[in-house]
Amino acid sequence: MQQVPPYLTQQLDDVMSSLLVFKPELCLAGLFLLVLGIDLIYRKNSGKACRMLGCAGMLLVLAADLGQYLIFKEQGRFLFINNLILNHDNIVLKMIIDAVTFTLLVYFPWDHQLKTHKKGLGDAYTIIIASVLGLHLMVMSATLLTMFLSIEMVSIASYLLVAYRTESNFSAEAALKYVLFGMAASAVMLYGISLFYGFSGSINLYHPHMVANLQAADPTVIVLAVVLILAGIGFKLSFVPLHFWVPDVYQGASTPVTAYLSTLPKIAGFGLLVTFLRPFMFNPTWSRFDFTLILSIAAIVTMIAGNFAAIWQQNVKRILAYSSVGHTGFALMAIVTFTPQSMGALSFYLIVYAIANIGVLGLATYFANAMQAHTVNDYKGLGTKYPIASVCFVVLLISLTGIPVSAGFNAKVLVFSSVYEVYQHGHKGIMLALLVTGAVTTVVSLFYYLKIPLNLFLRKEDTVRNHYPAVSKDLLVMIVILSLIVVLLGIFPDALANLL
Amino acid sequence: MNILTLLIFIPALFGLLILALPASLKQSFKYITLAATLIQLGLSIWLYINFQTGAAFGGINHESQFQFVQKISWISLDLGTAGRMQVDYFVGVDGISILLLVMTAVVMVIAVLASWEIKHNLKGFFVLFLLLDMAVAGVFCALDFFLFYLFYELMLLPLYFLIGIWGGVRREYAAIKFFLYTLFGSVFMLLIMVGLYLSVTDPATGNHTFNIVQMMNPANYQQGSVFSIFSHQTLFGIPARVLAFVVLFIAFAIKVPVVPLHTWLPDAHVEAPTPVSIILAGVLLKIGGYGIIRICIGIFPEVAYQGAYWLGLLGVVSILYGALNALAQRDLKRLIAYSSVSHMGFVLLGLASQTAEGVSGAMMQMISHGFLSSMLFFLVGVIYTRVHDRDIYNFRGLATVNPQYTTYVMIAFFASLGLPGFSAFIAEAFSLTGAFKSELIPNWMAVCGSIGILLSAAYFLWTLQRMFFGKELLKGGDSWKQALTGLKLREKLALFPLAVLALVLGIMPSLVFSKINDSVLALVEFTKQMVR
């Protein structure tokens, strides 16, 4: 018998012990195979079964997350020989992702356009669940390799979803645009990663020599590498100047897919950005690239560009696309400060944004189902015809604007105070600029968000219609629940925020 | 159950009741709303009677001196290294707020009586109305900045819809203008609020706090914090406390409104339906004044002291500019809207003087204007609902057509222009006395204020002459004459108490002064102390 090298047993032990805490991801993998199998066996009629199974499975995954949440409350750990990192912040993000996925799975078949698709929805569920595995890995990745692989996993799933329904030229164009830009972004990022690896000699972001080696390398190339990697992540987060794909794709994709794109990859992207930044932010010797400054500038530009561009839009989904760009900018504000407090604020902000955004897109579906209404002009006078939906619309938009009493307001206060806290200690002018931009763009955002209530309630219909088709109650129930959550979190934010 | 909590949330309860009722009962909604406001009025009168006076009940910067207090922990967020975020549900009243609360309750009843003219979408109207009522009462009671801000912003949305759905021709424009103006002010207020919160710690618990009363004590500011009075920090090159004062002042000045931030007001007032105009003029403008007293002067007294000249100047400009504009109007509602700008200028002038007389005058002016402007807008509503016109030149000799109505108009006009014997006279006299006495503002400001009174006499009397005297001549001819005769019982019920109040407060101003005096003295004393 040949002697086993000593490190091998050690590594095997590590893998074995990692597998034990890797339950949510294992569940997801199993769930994916199961849903895929059912989809293959029952073909077109599999939609319902796949959805039920998917929802039940996501609840199981959430339970597994909860287990992790309770264990890793104080301290994190590395998994699979330092390939993945598990700590409080990214477990919270994973739970957010799973909860959002659950909502999306419930919501998907309620969109008429998507439902009438001849392929059925079984494939969509399979793709979503596979992508959630990728999203989990994205927030946990601790090496450049896992980072890239998980991003690609999510990207491919997103490409498929965007192109799921391409009857019109517009959505086909949007899907193609998304794929091409996505590929280019990945390629750029891969180039940055290879430079990183070349200079540091390691793919492990948390390797003790990683930052030191990069610090010793030629500064210009390192700056280039960092910019390239940030560009790859920025494409997922859609901050300016990497937001150009957003309006077309959000408008062209079917509404539930837009809801998917505007929440899940974004949340995971923020998680990835945090894990990527952590080694640099906490290393006092790092001076090659001022992440705080660059990300602050990106945040300011994103807030301004997103919110101002939205003013001139007429299509509701396009308005929401630009508004989601604006929200990216605001959430970036929480990242640049990089304190434990701001991580909590970020998670809270992302949850609130996800709830409100899914709710609002659900309403876009609702009005499209009912009246084929796609632009704000189509909404004229519908407020009194569909009162519950319209009131919910107002509540959710108020939350997105950040006016009390709504969860969005509390999220805004939390982000503002985390930035303020840092300003108070460092007196960096850029922090003040962030605060002022955040405040100004809130007023700007009111301008376009209000267009929807304005048309719903204040304006009269152009042509008198006698028939207002009834819409299925299910979707409305979901929207009402989401609106209630928004209001309750507006009054009692500590119920949730203390858990983050 | 705390009585203030009851007062704040009773409208919300009735609003839920209206929401739950089917549309077939829509004729009852106005009575339900009326019941809610009457209960509120009853509670506020009880508060007024039981309100203790004396030096031990001054309020302002002493938490223990507030009355009817309820303080329960509401939001408590663990922020790790940054400590805990402490938000209390903290309500209470002192002399500054008690009378504004009573005035609000009265105005709300009048506004409901004016809502009889609302014909469509009743459920929405009354639910929004009650929501607004709740928010307004909350603003006057809140002593926690977070809570204050919540109620403050909660007013915006109902008002937007109330103006936007039930308003006049240009309602869309007026509603969005109002909303954007106010939000612009309040978003920056939010930044200052967060900054103050991070600067101030509660001495009892050591946590950061939103407590307004604690924010008034310089000892509670953390060392080196942005807004600490001792650390002399600057933001954008401006002293931090001055900047904070200016930002908060702009937010409230938009509400008051102070020239040049007043341009939303004529539009909003003119386009709003009568009940909303009444609330806007009667109550919402006072929230601006109240905010300046409680928040701007209360938290940054030394800045208010240094900047008294500019406050006074803005007040005088508002008085004169508003009055001159009112002279030029031919729409009766617009005229009254501008007269509001002019009259609210006295509030600012009185506050700028920072003397007991001036501040008392400002308080009195807010209360008096609350009643009088409600009355004026109600009176405009009376003719507008009948003939759908309010152009001054389309009416002539109304005195012969409707003597009863003309009597009320004359009372309201004479009271507003400051005829001795009416509340506005006391208010303006005290404001001007304060302005003359004060060393902080030059005498010419007080003189200009007096000219403002003269101008207000001019536009009111001229309007009286144009519309009510002379030979009877109506644009709509006989059909108008038919419509314009007589007053309904409901209208009399609304107008009579307001006329009586204007007179009673003019003859017995002690009804107000006895309750506010301790707080006014405490505020003036507190400012002096802080400056030293």
Side-chain angles (χ1 to χ4, degrees):
Chain A
M1 277 290 278
Q2 224 176 355
Q3 194 70 36
V4 182
Y7 58 86
L8 196 60
T9 47
Q10 205 184 331
Q11 289 188 343
L12 274 174
D13 284 346
D14 185 69
V15 170
M16 290 312 287
S17 72
S18 298
L19 272 178
L20 286 178
V21 285
F22 203 51
K23 281 180 203 124
E25 288 72 22
L26 292 177
C27 282
L28 272 172
L31 184 65
F32 166 64
L33 292 176
L34 212 60
V35 174
L36 183 68
I38 290 183
D39 187 34
L40 284 177
I41 296 165
Y42 293 101
R43 313 299 303 225
K44 272 181 196 166
N45 307 321
S46 64
K48 250 184 193 154
C50 288
R51 176 164 166 245
M52 296 258 279
L53 193 68
C55 289
M58 287 319 295
L59 289 180
L60 197 68
V61 176
L62 261 176
D65 286 334
L66 190 65
Q68 284 188 340
Y69 174 81
L70 295 175
I71 296 170
F72 295 98
K73 197 128 200 182
E74 302 297 327
Q75 219 172 354
R77 67 164 285 189
F78 288 99
L79 297 180
F80 299 112
I81 323 165
N82 299 338
N83 267 304
L84 299 175
I85 182 171
L86 193 63
N87 58 24
H88 178 76
D89 291 338
N90 56 32
I91 294 172
V92 167
L93 285 177
K94 281 189 333 190
M95 291 175 84
I96 301 174
I97 288 170
D98 295 336
V100 170
T101 312
F102 176 81
T103 321
L104 286 175
L105 286 177
V106 173
Y107 161 42
F108 250 70
W110 288 335
D111 187 86
H112 282 187
Q113 283 177 321
L114 197 59
K115 198 185 176 189
T116 47
H117 187 57
K118 58 181 186 301
K119 271 192 299 207
L121 281 172
D123 294 345
Y125 300 131
T126 325
I127 298 167
I128 291 177
I129 289 165
S131 80
V132 174
L133 182 58
L135 293 164
H136 270 220
L137 294 175
M138 231 168 120
V139 295
M140 287 164 47
S141 49
T143 65
L144 295 166
L145 189 65
T146 43
M147 221 167 94
F148 183 73
L149 286 179
S150 56
I151 285 190
E152 279 309 285
M153 204 163 159
V154 175
S155 297
I156 290 168
S158 310
Y159 303 151
L160 290 173
L161 281 175
V162 170
Y164 204 76
R165 185 188 61 89
T166 46
E167 283 111 38
S168 69
N169 283 341
F170 190 85
S171 32
E173 185 196 324
L176 190 63
K177 246 184 203 168
Y178 185 51
V179 174
L180 288 177
F181 285 138
M183 295 289 192
S186 301
V188 162
M189 186 178 178
L190 193 58
Y191 189 53
I193 287 177
S194 64
L195 282 177
F196 247 51
Y197 174 58
F199 283 108
S200 67
S202 164
I203 55 165
N204 189 344
L205 281 167
Y206 291 81
H207 194 278
H209 301 313
M210 178 79 173
V211 175
N213 284 344
L214 288 178
Q215 178 76 17
D218 181 41
T220 355
V221 187
I222 294 302
V223 168
L224 178 70
V226 171
V227 168
L228 294 179
I229 293 180
L230 282 183
I233 301 175
F235 180 78
K236 281 269 160 284
L237 293 179
S238 65
F239 60 66
V240 177
L242 298 148
H243 70 293
F244 43 79
W245 58 276
V246 172
D248 285 345
V249 174
Y250 280 24
Q251 189 187 345
S254 24
T255 317
V257 174
T258 307
Y260 169 91
L261 283 179
S262 65
T263 51
L264 287 179
K266 213 169 237 191
I267 296 169
F270 276 108
L272 183 73
L273 188 58
V274 171
T275 23
F276 173 72
L277 288 180
R278 189 169 283 131
F280 302 99
M281 288 293 200
F282 287 130
N283 194 323
T285 58
W286 174 254
S287 63
R288 284 284 173 263
F289 191 89
D290 190 349
F291 283 105
T292 313
L293 183 69
I294 297 300
L295 288 178
S296 300
I297 292 172
I300 290 173
V301 176
T302 308
M303 279 191 272
I304 293 174
N307 284 305
F308 275 92
I311 295 178
W312 286 277
Q313 305 307 322
Q314 290 299 321
N315 185 293
V316 174
K317 275 163 77 181
R318 228 178 154 78
I319 291 180
L320 294 174
Y322 278 110
S323 104
S324 101
V325 173
H327 281 280
T328 299
F330 206 92
L332 269 180
M333 218 163 127
I335 282 199
V336 295
T337 57
F338 226 86
T339 54
Q341 184 197 350
S342 65
M343 290 303 116
L346 176 69
S347 300
F348 191 80
Y349 193 87
L350 289 176
I351 293 174
V352 170
Y353 161 75
I355 295 173
N357 218 40
I358 292 176
V360 169
L361 284 164
L363 280 160
T365 296
Y366 185 88
F367 283 104
N369 285 353
M371 301 296 294
Q372 298 302 315
H374 298 288
T375 66
V376 284
N377 275 332
D378 298 339
Y379 282 11
K380 269 185 193 165
L382 292 182
T384 46
K385 306 297 184 275
Y386 299 99
I388 300 176
S390 305
V391 169
C392 288
F393 220 143
V394 175
V395 171
L396 293 168
L397 288 174
I398 284 301
S399 178
L400 283 176
T401 322
I403 300 177
V405 176
S406 70
F409 170 68
N410 292 319
K412 219 154 229 187
V413 171
L414 282 178
V415 174
F416 275 150
S417 50
S418 69
V419 175
Y420 230 107
E421 182 81 32
V422 173
Y423 171 76
Q424 200 150 319
H425 291 130
H427 292 283
K428 277 189 194 158
I430 191 84
M431 295 289 162
L432 221 50
L434 274 174
L435 288 170
V436 173
T437 318
V440 172
T441 49
T442 301
V443 183
V444 175
S445 74
L446 180 79
F447 209 82
Y448 59 83
Y449 284 133
L450 261 189
K451 266 189 191 172
I452 292 169
L454 173 82
N455 282 289
L456 282 175
F457 289 105
L458 269 58
R459 291 198 172 146
K460 298 272 175 293
E461 282 168 280
D462 298 331
T463 49
V464 180
R465 277 172 291 198
N466 299 320
H467 180 58
Y468 293 96
V471 190
S472 87
K473 292 273 185 298
D474 305 339
L475 181 58
L476 195 58
V477 169
M478 180 188 89
I479 291 162
V480 169
I481 292 174
L482 291 176
S483 312
L484 280 179
I485 295 175
V486 160
V487 173
L488 284 178
L489 282 182
I491 305 175
F492 304 108
D494 43 351
L496 178 69
N498 276 338
L499 302 175
L500 304 178
Chain B
M1 194 75 182
N2 179 279
I3 185 156
L4 286 180
T5 308
L6 215 56
L7 184 79
I8 297 170
F9 291 106
I10 272 185
L13 281 181
F14 279 75
L16 287 178
L17 177 70
I18 291 180
L19 265 187
L21 289 176
S24 56
L25 291 172
K26 66 180 175 199
Q27 287 313 316
S28 69
F29 292 163
K30 54 191 176 198
Y31 295 105
I32 296 175
T33 313
L34 186 63
T37 51
L38 283 175
I39 294 175
Q40 236 186 347
L41 180 62
L43 287 176
S44 70
I45 290 173
W46 188 90
L47 280 172
Y48 174 81
I49 294 169
N50 287 292
F51 185 81
Q52 308 276 322
T53 51
F57 297 99
I60 309 291
N61 61 334
H62 296 287
E63 210 176 306
S64 57
Q65 295 184 359
F66 281 86
Q67 302 182 42
F68 313 109
V69 170
Q70 182 169 33
K71 187 177 185 182
I72 36 180
S73 176
W74 169 30
I75 299 173
S76 176
L77 273 183
D78 193 357
L79 296 179
T81 50
R84 292 190 83 83
M85 181 175 185
Q86 179 189 333
V87 182
D88 294 322
Y89 174 80
F90 181 21
V91 290
V93 285
D94 62 358
I96 305 289
S97 39
I98 177 74
L99 271 148
L100 289 170
L101 217 51
V102 179
M103 188 269 294
T104 304
V106 175
V107 172
M108 285 295 172
V109 176
I110 305 298
V112 182
L113 288 175
S115 310
W116 257 246
E117 65 166 80
I118 302 294
K119 294 288 179 244
H120 66 99
N121 220 334
L122 293 176
K123 192 177 222 172
F125 181 86
F126 286 107
V127 169
L128 288 169
F129 183 97
L130 287 168
L131 189 64
L132 179 64
D133 190 359
M134 176 188 93
V136 169
V139 166
F140 286 129
C141 296
L143 291 176
D144 187 282
F145 210 149
F146 195 88
L147 191 67
F148 177 89
Y149 191 82
L150 232 58
F151 282 126
Y152 188 83
E153 293 270 273
L154 198 58
M155 297 184 310
L156 296 185
L157 209 65
L159 267 173
Y160 171 75
F161 285 117
L162 285 173
I163 298 175
I165 300 180
W166 291 273
V169 186
R170 286 165 70 239
R171 55 179 188 271
E172 250 179 48
Y173 171 74
I176 188 82
K177 191 170 176 183
F178 161 78
F179 204 157
L180 282 176
Y181 250 92
T182 332
L183 190 74
F184 179 78
S186 56
V187 163
F188 287 96
M189 181 156 96
L190 173 66
L191 286 185
I192 301 299
M193 176 179 102
V194 171
L196 277 169
Y197 149 74
L198 286 168
S199 297
V200 177
T201 49
D202 188 338
T205 58
N207 296 330
H208 286 302
T209 178
F210 281 106
N211 189 324
I212 293 176
V213 185
Q214 305 282 11
M215 284 176 181
M216 295 181 187
N217 185 354
N220 289 344
Y221 286 77
Q222 263 180 342
Q223 212 172 5
S225 57
V226 178
F227 291 119
S228 169
I229 197 165
F230 306 113
S231 61
H232 301 292
Q233 297 213 5
T234 56
L235 296 170
F236 302 114
I238 307 165
R241 282 178 71 87
V242 173
L243 186 74
F245 179 88
V246 170
V247 167
L248 291 173
F249 180 76
I250 289 175
F252 293 123
I254 289 171
K255 271 255 142 80
V256 170
V258 174
V259 176
L261 302 168
H262 68 289
T263 57
W264 64 270
L265 179 126
D267 291 307
H269 276 57
V270 170
E271 299 307 324
T274 308
V276 180
S277 299
I278 290 176
I279 299 177
L280 268 175
V283 184
L284 292 197
L285 307 191
K286 278 76 205 178
I287 286 174
Y290 173 75
I292 292 176
I293 299 178
R294 174 80 73 210
I295 308 237
C296 290
I297 301 183
I299 300 179
F300 304 99
E302 84 289 357
V303 187
Y305 188 86
Q306 291 155 11
Y309 180 85
W310 297 103
L311 296 187
L313 186 65
L314 284 172
V316 168
V317 169
S318 297
I319 294 172
L320 294 178
Y321 184 83
L324 288 172
N325 258 301
L327 267 176
Q329 301 307 318
R330 54 181 295 163
D331 180 334
L332 185 58
K333 213 170 177 184
R334 227 179 160 81
L335 181 142
I336 294 170
Y338 275 111
S339 86
S340 286
V341 176
S342 175
H343 287 149
M344 289 304 284
F346 283 99
V347 175
L348 208 53
L349 187 63
L351 289 178
S353 77
Q354 301 195 7
T355 54
E357 292 88 344
V359 177
S360 304
M363 287 299 302
M364 188 67 178
Q365 175 74 341
M366 288 208 274
I367 291 150
S368 146
H369 182 257
F371 295 135
L372 288 173
S373 62
S374 312
M375 192 167 169
L376 287 169
F377 278 111
F378 194 96
L379 285 165
V380 179
V382 167
I383 53 168
Y384 187 72
T385 36
R386 289 164 196 229
V387 296
H388 294 281
D389 197 327
R390 44 174 195 249
D391 190 326
I392 292 172
Y393 289 103
N394 289 344
F395 299 86
R396 200 143 181 226
L398 272 175
T400 48
V401 179
N402 195 340
Q404 255 183 324
Y405 176 71
T406 309
T407 316
Y408 282 116
V409 170
M410 281 173 74
I411 294 174
F413 276 16
F414 281 117
S416 296
L417 62 81
L419 195 73
F422 288 106
S423 53
F425 168 72
I426 308 283
E428 281 160 15
F430 269 70
S431 302
L432 292 176
T433 317
F436 272 119
K437 185 185 158 195
S438 172
E439 294 145 8
L440 298 176
I441 49 177
N443 279 342
W444 63 262
M445 284 189 184
V447 174
C448 288
S450 325
I451 295 174
I453 299 184
L454 207 65
L455 285 173
S456 78
Y459 60 75
F460 276 128
L461 291 178
W462 191 32
T463 309
L464 208 57
Q465 188 210 330
R466 281 179 292 177
M467 278 183 85
F468 294 88
F469 301 148
K471 207 167 149 279
E472 175 192 322
L473 189 67
L474 300 170
K475 188 188 171 209
D478 275 345
S479 62
W480 275 31
K481 192 179 170 184
Q482 293 269 288
L484 284 169
T485 41
L487 276 181
K488 294 192 190 94
L489 176 66
R490 172 179 61 83
E491 290 160 350
K492 284 184 209 161
L493 277 178
L495 291 169
F496 185 69
L498 289 174
V500 170
L501 275 168
L503 198 61
V504 167
L505 289 184
I507 300 167
M508 289 196 292
S510 61
L511 283 176
V512 172
F513 288 142
S514 65
K515 298 284 179 186
I516 65 173
N517 197 29
D518 302 310
S519 294
V520 168
L521 290 178
L523 180 74
V524 173
E525 189 50 40
F526 168 64
T527 317
K528 278 190 192 141
Q529 212 180 323
M530 286 286 285
V531 174
R532 260 187 251 128

